[in-house]
Amino acid sequence: MALANLDLNFAYLIAQSSFVSPPDIALLGIVLIIAIIIYVFLSSCLYTILINLGQPNAWFAWVPILSNWAILKAGNQSPWWSIGIFAGDITHLLINIYSAIDPSSSTLYLLTTISSIFTVIISLLAIIAFLFAWVNIINQLGKNPWLIILFIIPIVNFFVMHHLAYGY
């Protein structure tokens, strides 16, 4: 009966909390707006690149996980490498499920160690596949493949994406 009297209104909870101040909320709003602007910019550049390459599902550029699939497919790499980026999450989820089933297992430490090594190897291979995919995409667009070095540098990569998409 006491649960029926609780007010779980989000605005009420924010207003009553002592650790969230109005400047924090304003900063969070600004960061959210900047993140949306960056997402729209990068997605529109990727969409234009995929259109220029003649990819049939260029709209994948607007969906976060599918955009990785489209990049790998356009770069003549196996799109299944996009799952490799999530190898760590998948293995840790499986280990958490296993530890919930049998928490006293003596093999849990061994499984955790092996999964960590597996995660690092698969993630590195997936990153290498993405780099090869971008080199292939850059070559298909007729640009200098050494742009991949600039593509890795933060902030500069926005200008490289714009250059790849719009050519100027």
Side-chain angles (χ1 to χ4, degrees):
M1 195 57 139
L3 290 177
N5 294 331
L6 287 177
D7 184 9
L8 297 178
N9 186 350
F10 181 71
Y12 176 78
L13 291 174
I14 293 288
Q16 297 302 317
S17 67
S18 61
F19 59 92
V20 178
S21 63
D24 292 339
I25 294 172
L27 181 62
L28 180 64
I30 291 169
V31 168
L32 183 64
I33 290 170
I34 291 171
I36 290 171
I37 290 169
I38 290 171
Y39 171 77
V40 169
F41 172 75
L42 292 176
S43 294
S44 65
C45 287
L46 182 58
Y47 178 79
T48 305
I49 290 169
L50 294 174
I51 290 290
N52 290 340
L53 293 175
Q55 291 295 315
N57 294 321
W59 63 271
F60 279 9
W62 295 98
V63 182
I65 295 172
L66 288 178
S67 65
N68 293 338
W69 188 276
I71 290 167
L72 289 167
K73 196 161 178 84
N76 299 324
Q77 299 295 315
S78 173
W80 291 101
W81 279 113
S82 60
I83 296 172
I85 294 295
F86 303 106
D89 300 327
I90 294 167
T91 56
H92 289 295
L93 175 68
L94 294 175
I95 286 178
N96 286 336
I97 291 171
Y98 179 74
S99 66
I101 293 170
D102 189 11
S104 63
S105 173
S106 61
T107 61
L108 195 57
Y109 177 75
L110 179 64
L111 282 174
T112 305
T113 304
I114 291 172
S115 73
S116 297
I117 294 169
F118 169 78
T119 299
V120 169
I121 291 170
I122 296 297
S123 297
L124 285 175
L125 290 174
I127 290 169
I128 291 168
F130 271 96
L131 287 174
F132 279 121
W134 274 110
V135 168
N136 290 340
I137 288 171
I138 291 170
N139 281 333
Q140 291 174 26
L141 291 171
K143 306 288 184 187
N144 188 346
W146 288 100
L147 279 175
I148 197 71
I149 294 172
L150 295 176
F151 200 71
I152 297 171
I153 301 170
I155 307 300
V156 175
N157 56 4
F158 295 119
F159 296 104
V160 173
M161 278 293 279
H162 185 271
H163 176 68
L164 293 175
Y166 303 109
Y168 48 84

